[in-house]
Amino acid sequence: MDSSLLFLPELLLVASIMAIPALYIATENNKSYSICANMTLALSFLLLILFWFYPDEVSFEKNSSVYIIYSHFKLDTFSQLFKIIFVLTALTVSVLSGSYFEEDEPHQAEYYTLLLSSTLGMMLVASATDFLTLFLGIEISAFSSYAMVAFRKQDDKSTEAGAKYFLIGAFSSALTLYGISLLYALTGSITFEGMRSFFTGLNNEVVSGNFDEVIFISSLFILAGLGFKIAVVPFHAWAPDVYQGAPTPVTTLLAAGSKAMGFVALFRVFLFTMEAVSDEWKLILGIIALASMTIGNLAAITQDDIGRMLAYSSIAQAGYILIAVPALTDDAVSGAIAHTMVHAFMKGGAFVIVAGVGAAGLGYSLDSYKGLAARSQLLALSMTVCLLSLVGIPPFAGFISKFLLFYGTLQAGLSGDTWIIALVIAGVLNSALSLYYYLKVIRFMYLYDAVGSKDIEFSNAVRYISFLTVLFLAIILPLFWQSLFEICKEATVALMT
Amino acid sequence: MRWFLFLLLVVALVPAASAENHTVIVTQADDSSSYFFDPEVLTVNIGDTVEFVWGNGSHNVAQVSDSESKTYGSGFYSGVPEVGGNWVLPAEYTMQDGTLYYVCQPHALMGMSGSIIVGTGTPPLPDIAMEFGDFPWLSYLLVFPLIGSLWILGFRNNPSAPRIIALFTTLFTLGLSIIIFVKAGSGSGFRLMEEYVWAPKLGVSLLLGVDGLSSPMVLLTGIITPLAVLFAWHEKEKPALFFALLLVMQTALFGVFITLDYFVFYIFWEVVLIPMFFLIAIWGGDNKRYASIKFIIYTFTASVVMLVGFMALYFEAGVNSFSMIEIAEANAGFNRDFQIWVFAALFIGFAVKIPSVPWHTWLPDAHVEAPTAGSILLAGVMLKMGLYGLMRAAIPVLPLGAEYFVPIMVVLAIVSILYGAALSLGQEDLKKLVAYSSVSHMGVALLGVATMTELGFAGAVFMMFAHGILSPAMFMVAGVMLHQVGTRDIPKLGGLAGYQPTTAGVFVVIFLGSLGLPGMAVFVAELAVFIAFFQSHGYWLILPIFGMVLTAGYHLWALQRSLFGPDSEQIEMNQVHEAPWYEFYPLLVIVILAAFFGIFPSYLMDPITVACYDILAFMGEV
């Protein structure tokens, strides 16, 4: 069968990106854009699922598990898994935006176009086989999200966040690019495969020469750029401001989608391309992971804006995920993949509630969560599940993924580099530390009386999404975590070979 | 022909009957430059005899516990024969697989030591009897409270339906737990086992089973929860949520006591925290926000450290299973340093729950602020999780680690006993007094565990049960004071016996039972622990005994100040009533139970002793 069918999920997005401006010319109806975006994303999501379960029919051979198109675009379990996450996130954001924005909010056509193009960029990153495609994907996604963050032109905070995000983003892109160019100059290849074989050769002394400094410096530059995307210390400073200032659906996209994209790129670069020279970057990543979780958690304690608090928590979570990267074993990496995915659900779920509460006019400070349980049991329950899941309290999904993450990493530490054990212990203690600020929100929701009226209508979209989140995080994933583990294992094998 | 057959028989039998004889020379170099056994390491088969022959010098042969040890503790000892004399190792030492280490006492420090490897070299672990049940009693135990809580949420707007459903459910599970206790019996090994595969690739399954260690705890949970429900009969604030949480908590507690899989054990362990947090945070006293946060952060921090320990055990055992039984069977491969580190991690997790000084500070806060039903479950059952976990998940798997920690445990236990009792003396709030007395009582149980003897273990488990029924009763007493008198402050009370004579009588019995009056359950436990401690540590016993004096002191003093003496000026005496039926009958039930198990301890002691023997067998101590 014709393999270009495999492009369908992406092609659909491209078609829709062109269709929405056309719709804008044809009709002034704001609803039509969101309907168009929702339909596109839902269809794309269905196709991805379809291709996942019936790969043979569309010539995506699951046995060989890899399918490469024009040698720049690769479909394997790893990429498809994350594409599902990206499209699902974008779908959630799109549905959420429909209820978040006022009917007559201007520039909605642009907004949905940008949302789709940002998703397209993420999907490109997941499938990239060389640095050019990777960089292209990152930039498509990033430029779209710069504009989306600053979407509310009249709102000072939104504009400020947009400007900040853009400046720091452009700077870090430049750093990444410089790192890539160094690697290119060194290896003479732009593809991951080519660089990998160069580094392996270097390791086996097939290629002679000592390039330690160059490799060290270029990995530092690339790390600076990708570290910005996943928001780890010390490249994290933008996150709290942007998460706070951007319209909440956009924050959801950044926290769930964009962050996962950063990890996808990071995994491809460090776990596949530069695996052979891991000695050069292992320790830096370890230190960054440690700093990130500790500083993230400590800073989160004092926040009184929910967006900022979740931003710092997101920084801490990135730290947890990073500890698996220096471990370099299959189990650790599948733990990291599992936690990246589950993190997208937990954080996305939490920000959906934030959007719902914000859209209902209650505000974005922690205080606005006082008495939420009295206003809506469902929203409070969903927020509780998301937050406890972020801490890693059993039996929620966050515990399962965190367990897999620490499990794999500890195993690597016990059998290899012992300093990795310290990272695991730091991660475990940090989890306990983080309990404090998550509990603060839970206490506010259940133990305090609501200020103001009790009868506040939350939009149906928010209610449905939060119901699904609870279902997924509290019941489905914990029951079938063996499947999660196996899928992540498959993805790891696809990623690392 | 007949002779030939006879001869054949003889030839066939002789090699089977003959055991090889080995000789070890016990000697020193002529110039005294070196002292040695020759051969230093001897490998023999089971049933062989070993003869020691003396060369130069005066030496002896004395068994030591391991290759590092230099001092004779117990085991074989040769005396000091003349040069050229000999001594034969008693046959009983070579009858089973194992490694025997020995030294020459005068020259042990000069490196004169040797070992005999019998058979495979590792002592055989006892086979654990595992009996799979034909009826899923244990999963019913987990499922019914959950169904009950969903049922309650279905009737959440009805004012009295929740408590009736809760009482019904808990009485039903009480019936189940009695059945389970009886069926578990007092045989060795696990009964009523069930296994449901969850994640086979990682070796996680819901492995359920009870033995003599867990069946008393199941019974305890079954008894305490309906009493807690009954005591909270008139809960006005959000009754549906309250009772639903109690039932969820019951499921989690049962789960902790009946799972034999580290992973699932940890999950239940943590799930206990969530309902307890809400019980304290929503229905607690004035300072509930602080107390609930402190409670959950303290215990959560400790238990994540414990989780790291569990994972390390899993990797080190290498059996690709989180099953406690399989990991314990692999414990011969754990080296001593590993055992010490992992035991430390597990001990932190368990010690916070026990709670042992210095990790006890969450307990008084949580108790004082918790609603009485919460305190009942907290003191009655939750505190037992710590020691239960220690005896189930840590000690059998890590015998060397446990031995290393014996002195630390003894010190912590004695400090807990004395410090807890001393603080109790100084308390004015009755509930706080009971909270600190829990620290002291659980110190006694920890002391029993630290003796590492069968009697000590059994005393500790008995203490867990006895304290598990009497300490809730004391919290109920504090609750009755608050409801019927209006205050729990001891200095404000006085002369209550004249106004509520029946209730006061029950109070006195409960307090006397808690201080260890013979004939009540606590006495049996304390006696067992102290005898075991005297056997293992001798006259150090004077310290915990002194703690008992303090214990008697604060119990009697509290009674005297609150119930007797002149009528208090600070309370309205005409407002004081007898306790209502739903508060009185739980107390009466407990008094009866405490007396029953005090007079007939064997119903509990039999299964407990067998289980404790199993644990020691696993550690290779017997």
Side-chain angles (χ1 to χ4, degrees), chain B residues 229-571:
Chain B
V229 170
L230 212 53
F231 205 83
W233 201 244
H234 277 258
E235 184 59 57
K236 298 243 168 23
E237 201 189 339
K238 297 181 193 163
L241 190 58
F242 183 84
F243 289 112
L245 284 174
L246 274 188
L247 291 181
V248 171
M249 175 115 177
Q250 193 191 20
T251 294
L253 288 168
F254 276 136
V256 168
F257 292 132
I258 63 179
T259 28
L260 298 173
D261 180 285
Y262 278 112
F263 187 84
V264 183
F265 177 83
Y266 179 77
I267 289 189
F268 281 122
W269 182 274
E270 294 290 38
V271 170
V272 170
L273 300 183
I274 302 172
M276 198 66 214
F277 169 75
F278 282 110
L279 281 180
I280 299 177
I282 300 181
W283 292 274
D286 300 334
N287 204 9
K288 58 190 179 185
R289 286 169 190 152
Y290 168 77
S292 58
I293 284 275
K294 184 169 176 181
F295 160 75
I296 199 165
I297 288 188
Y298 239 87
T299 46
F300 183 71
T301 311
S303 46
V304 287
V305 176
M306 184 177 86
L307 179 65
V308 177
F310 285 169
M311 286 200 266
L313 275 179
Y314 169 83
F315 293 129
E316 189 78 8
V319 288
N320 191 33
S321 165
F322 276 97
S323 155
M324 291 185 187
I325 300 175
E326 284 183 41
I327 291 182
E329 276 169 346
N331 73 2
F334 301 160
N335 69 40
R336 191 160 176 272
D337 285 343
F338 172 81
Q339 293 204 17
I340 290 171
W341 277 105
V342 175
F343 193 87
L346 301 192
F347 187 71
I348 288 175
F350 294 133
V352 170
K353 266 287 193 331
I354 289 175
S356 155
V357 174
W359 301 290
H360 66 289
T361 59
W362 62 272
L363 182 76
D365 286 314
H367 267 320
V368 171
E369 301 305 328
T372 309
S375 289
I376 290 172
L377 280 182
L378 188 62
V381 190
M382 249 185 82
L383 296 191
K384 313 304 172 288
M385 285 163 55
L387 278 168
Y388 173 80
L390 200 60
M391 294 172 73
R392 164 72 76 227
I395 291 178
V397 192
L398 302 162
L400 297 180
E403 258 163 48
Y404 182 84
F405 272 85
V406 162
I408 298 173
M409 284 198 270
V410 168
V411 170
L412 287 180
I414 291 179
V415 172
S416 293
I417 294 171
L418 294 175
Y419 187 65
L423 283 179
S424 291
L425 265 181
Q427 297 309 317
E428 299 195 331
D429 183 347
L430 194 56
K431 222 172 171 185
K432 223 165 188 168
L433 179 142
V434 182
Y436 281 114
S437 88
S438 285
V439 176
S440 175
H441 275 116
M442 294 319 283
V444 175
L446 181 61
L447 191 69
V449 173
T451 60
M452 297 285 158
T453 61
E454 191 181 335
L455 187 63
F457 280 177
V461 181
F462 205 94
M463 185 57 145
M464 280 150 67
F465 188 88
H467 178 258
I469 54 176
L470 276 167
S471 140
M474 294 186 56
F475 279 111
M476 289 180 193
V477 169
V480 172
M481 294 279 186
L482 186 66
H483 296 158
Q484 307 310 330
V485 183
T487 177
R488 311 187 293 243
D489 268 359
I490 297 172
K492 290 189 190 158
L493 300 170
L496 291 175
Y499 296 86
Q500 34 173 220
T502 322
T503 316
V506 174
F507 288 0
V508 171
V509 177
I510 285 170
F511 270 67
L512 290 180
S514 172
L515 73 77
L517 189 75
M520 302 287 264
V522 169
F523 171 72
V524 179
E526 283 177 354
L527 189 66
V529 169
F530 289 150
I531 292 175
F533 186 67
F534 183 71
Q535 283 169 346
S536 66
H537 288 79
Y539 287 100
W540 287 108
L541 179 62
I542 205 81
L543 289 172
I545 287 284
F546 180 65
M548 290 308 105
V549 177
L550 290 180
T551 307
Y554 68 76
H555 277 102
L556 293 175
W557 198 33
L559 269 187
Q560 186 247 323
R561 280 185 296 167
S562 56
L563 294 183
F564 305 109
D567 290 4
S568 164
E569 309 273 307
Q570 283 156 299
I571 44 179

Side-chain angles (χ1 to χ4, degrees), chain B residues 24 37-38 45 66 75 82 120 134 143 153 162 211 230 300 310 330 372 386 418-419 478 483 519 572 591 615-616:
Chain B
V24 177
F37 293 103
D38 179 37
N45 292 318
D66 55 80
E82 297 289 306
T120 59
D134 46 2
V143 171
L153 289 179
D211 66 347
L230 212 53
F300 183 71
F310 285 169
T372 309
L418 294 175
Y419 187 65
H483 296 158
E572 294 265 343
V591 168
I615 295 173
L616 287 169

Side-chain angles (χ1 to χ4, degrees), chain A residues 391 393-395 399 403-404 406-407 410-411 414 428-429 431-432 435-436 439 442-443 446-448 478-479 481-482 485-486, chain B residues 198-202 204 263 266-267 270-271 274 277-278 281-282 289 293 296-297 300-301 304-305 308 311-312 314-315 322:
Chain A
V391 187
I393 286 191
F399 164 69
F403 173 80
L404 291 176
F406 288 157
Y407 164 93
L410 185 66
Q411 190 181 29
L414 285 173
V428 160
L429 292 178
S431 302
L435 185 60
Y436 179 76
L439 270 185
I442 296 176
R443 280 196 308 161
Y446 284 97
L447 309 186
Y448 288 74
L479 276 184
W481 65 286
Q482 167 89 6
F485 180 65
E486 268 166 26
Chain B
W198 190 8
K201 285 273 169 63
L202 284 169
V204 175
F263 187 84
Y266 179 77
I267 289 189
E270 294 290 38
V271 170
I274 302 172
F277 169 75
F278 282 110
I282 300 181
R289 286 169 190 152
I293 284 275
I296 199 165
I297 288 188
F300 183 71
T301 311
V304 287
V305 176
V308 177
M311 286 200 266
Y314 169 83
F315 293 129
F322 276 97

Side-chain angles (χ1 to χ4, degrees), chain A residues 308-370:
Chain A
R308 292 185 82 85
M309 193 201 91
L310 288 177
Y312 279 112
S313 117
S314 179
I315 293 166
Q317 298 283 343
Y320 300 142
I321 298 172
L322 272 192
I323 64 170
V325 180
L328 272 176
T329 57
D330 276 8
D331 276 343
V333 175
S334 28
I337 291 175
H339 199 59
T340 313
M341 283 171 29
V342 174
H343 176 257
F345 285 110
M346 308 185 284
K347 226 2 116 36
F351 270 117
V352 168
I353 313 276
V354 174
V357 171
L362 291 174
Y364 295 92
S365 71
L366 281 188
D367 286 340
S368 51
Y369 287 80
K370 281 185 177 165

Side-chain angles (χ1 to χ4, degrees), chain B residues 56-125:
Chain B
N56 292 336
S58 95
H59 306 285
N60 63 8
V61 176
Q63 188 178 13
V64 291
S65 59
D66 55 80
S67 57
E68 304 294 318
S69 172
K70 306 282 184 221
T71 47
Y72 172 69
S74 60
F76 56 78
Y77 177 70
S78 67
V80 189
E82 297 289 306
V83 171
N86 70 339
W87 175 75
V88 180
L89 183 69
E92 70 207 57
Y93 287 97
T94 53
M95 292 313 283
Q96 66 165 12
D97 291 328
T99 305
L100 308 166
Y101 298 98
Y102 55 85
V103 295
C104 164
Q105 274 178 316
H107 305 118
L109 294 175
M110 271 83 97
M112 186 166 177
S113 62
S115 59
I116 302 172
I117 297 169
V118 185
T120 59
T122 45
L125 280 170

Side-chain angles (χ1 to χ4, degrees), chain B residues 143-203:
Chain B
V143 171
F144 272 111
L146 276 188
I147 294 178
S149 65
L150 290 178
W151 192 9
I152 286 176
L153 289 179
F155 285 91
R156 60 175 174 275
N157 294 325
N158 189 318
S160 60
R163 62 192 189 193
I164 293 173
I165 297 172
L167 187 63
F168 176 74
T169 316
T170 47
L171 284 177
F172 189 76
T173 48
L174 170 63
L176 277 180
S177 49
I178 292 174
I179 292 174
I180 287 166
F181 179 75
V182 172
K183 278 194 173 285
S186 53
S188 161
F190 295 99
R191 296 279 182 282
L192 300 176
M193 286 189 68
E194 293 167 40
E195 183 164 17
Y196 305 99
V197 172
W198 190 8
K201 285 273 169 63
L202 284 169

